[in-house]
Amino acid sequence: MHDLYSPDRACYWSDDHPVLDLVRARKQAGGRPGAHGDGHKLGLAVEGGGMRGVVSAAMLTALDDLGLRGVFDCVYSCSSGSVNAAYFAGGETWYPLTIYFDDLATRQFVDMRRFASRRGILNLDYVFEQVLETVKPLDYDRILAGPAGFHVAVTLVDELRTESVGDFCDREDLREGLRASCWLPVAVPGAGEFRGRRAVDGGVLTAHPYLLALADGCTHVLSLSTKPMRAPGRASAGRHLSAFYMERIKRGLGKGYLASLERYRAQRRRLQEWMTEPGEGPFVLDLAPLPWMSEVRRHEMSLGALLTAAREAHAVMHAAVGGIPASRLRDGSFASLPRFVAVDGGVRADAA
């Protein structure tokens, strides 16, 4: 398929893809996660990637807008995608999506000047102790009580393995898991901690959480990717620098990171082939920004770039579920516009 990543393709996914068919059928039938009675296990895999997580956050918002929160049996997430997925599981999407515009595109969270002082580019204390607690509160208790399984990928440093954690015992355990999954080496110094073990970003040794969904027995997976549908290149100089830093944290961690990236190069091509040729199953539909759409940087600070990426990702999800041709996204005849919601004292005014 020489035109797999061509921006001129007429079709990037099959309208009757088994994952889309199951999503639509479950919406029509109703029911609760784990109790749909159709013999399938439908997983939702949510990728992050620092500020690039605005893409999967917008896709989750679109799923919520389409009334599809209850169709998934389990959610699998990593990095900033785990926070996005947590808000989705906790019942909010549009409001927390604004975190990327209002709260993260600031020097309180991202400050390249801190790299020289070895304090870390990203300030996770600000995110977890201020933003998720008081500015745009995350409902940990609702997530824990939710009917769908909720999994967060954490890289256990000393064991050199990825753990998909889904047995959170309380809100502090869940909070610690989310924080560990967002602990991006180099951008955040050293390693975090989860249940008494050193831990870092869940995507270090397992490049995408769709793999965790398949390992957990999902027959169908809707995968949300934050990088555009383009031919993946080899690891950049920046990736090698990150790997060098990880080796200093734990021998084998950096090598494992580079090996995971290399495996994902082949996996990403296969994922895109499955979009139009799904095979015999298990079935994976990997939605992502289309080839002509811009890529958000991990440390993106431009409000314009973030808003554009959110609009494009939201439209991609609507188009896929609604059977809208990708050509209409390309020519601009179908687009997504942001919703404006009044907020009073940290609570949505329309929910008061």
Side-chain angles (χ1 to χ4, degrees):
M1 299 180 64
H2 65 281
D3 65 341
L4 185 62
Y5 302 106
S6 170
D8 300 318
R9 288 180 64 189
C11 178
Y12 291 93
W13 56 79
S14 297
D15 286 340
D16 61 350
H17 192 284
V19 172
L20 291 176
D21 281 349
L22 182 59
V23 165
R24 294 164 183 152
R26 284 190 170 187
K27 179 184 179 181
Q28 184 174 3
R32 288 168 56 83
H36 288 283
D38 52 24
H40 303 302
K41 184 176 181 179
L42 176 59
L44 176 64
V46 186
E47 186 182 29
M51 294 297 285
R52 200 166 59 238
V54 70
V55 172
S56 55
M59 289 183 176
L60 291 170
T61 298
L63 288 173
D64 199 16
D65 291 346
L66 291 163
L68 299 174
R69 186 193 306 277
V71 306
F72 301 100
D73 298 304
C74 291
V75 180
Y76 306 84
S77 60
C78 70
S79 190
S80 57
S82 65
V83 175
N84 298 340
Y87 275 114
F88 180 76
E92 285 279 10
T93 52
W94 269 106
Y95 183 35
L97 173 61
T98 64
I99 283 176
Y100 288 92
F101 316 124
D102 297 340
D103 309 297
L104 300 188
T106 68
R107 282 188 170 170
Q108 285 179 286
F109 177 54
V110 182
D111 192 343
M112 303 301 290
R113 297 173 303 177
R114 289 196 292 259
F115 183 76
S117 64
R118 298 184 180 182
R119 288 185 294 153
I121 297 169
L122 304 183
N123 185 351
L124 292 186
D125 288 342
Y126 164 68
V127 175
F128 284 90
E129 295 174 15
Q130 294 186 48
V131 178
L132 271 61
E133 288 294 325
T134 60
V135 181
K136 295 182 173 74
L138 177 61
D139 193 339
Y140 292 97
D141 294 328
R142 184 170 177 179
I143 299 167
L144 293 168
F150 184 76
H151 299 257
V152 175
V154 173
T155 300
L156 299 178
V157 171
D158 296 303
E159 293 86 340
L160 292 177
R161 67 178 177 85
T162 305
E163 183 163 308
S164 180
V165 186
D167 59 344
F168 298 104
C169 57
D170 55 37
R171 71 187 318 272
E172 287 306 316
D173 192 36
L174 174 56
R175 182 176 182 272
E176 187 179 64
L178 292 173
R179 185 185 176 101
S181 191
C182 292
W183 198 285
L184 185 64
V186 181
V188 185
E193 184 175 297
F194 178 64
R195 295 176 178 174
R197 295 174 291 181
R198 293 199 298 165
V200 294
D201 189 320
V204 167
L205 298 180
T206 302
H208 198 293
Y210 89 89
L211 295 166
L212 305 177
L214 294 179
D216 197 37
C218 287
T219 60
H220 298 66
V221 181
L222 179 59
S223 170
L224 311 186
S225 290
T226 58
K227 291 182 179 180
M229 297 179 189
R230 297 175 189 151
R234 294 189 179 277
S236 65
R239 301 290 190 185
H240 281 280
L241 177 61
S242 296
F244 175 77
Y245 180 83
M246 291 182 211
E247 282 293 310
R248 296 177 62 183
I249 297 175
K250 171 69 177 180
R251 180 171 294 183
L253 185 63
K255 292 179 181 177
Y257 169 65
L258 292 176
S260 175
L261 291 178
E262 190 62 26
R263 288 193 300 271
Y264 188 55
R265 288 182 69 247
Q267 291 165 354
R268 187 76 193 272
R269 181 173 183 85
R270 187 63 181 137
L271 282 170
Q272 296 307 310
E273 290 174 348
W274 284 342
M275 299 278 279
T276 54
E277 301 174 9
E280 299 299 321
F283 303 105
V284 180
L285 181 72
D286 183 54
L287 293 179
L290 296 173
W292 65 84
M293 297 176 178
S294 59
E295 181 173 344
V296 177
R297 298 173 300 167
R298 280 181 175 269
H299 308 129
E300 184 62 69
M301 294 285 285
S302 167
L303 294 177
L306 292 169
L307 182 56
T308 296
R311 289 181 56 196
E312 291 175 339
H314 190 271
V316 166
M317 180 61 72
H318 264 277
V321 176
I324 298 167
S327 60
R328 294 193 58 198
L329 298 174
R330 182 67 186 270
D331 66 22
S333 62
F334 181 83
S336 177
L337 301 177
R339 178 193 297 181
F340 293 95
V341 179
V343 178
D344 182 8
V347 178
R348 285 194 345 184
D350 64 351

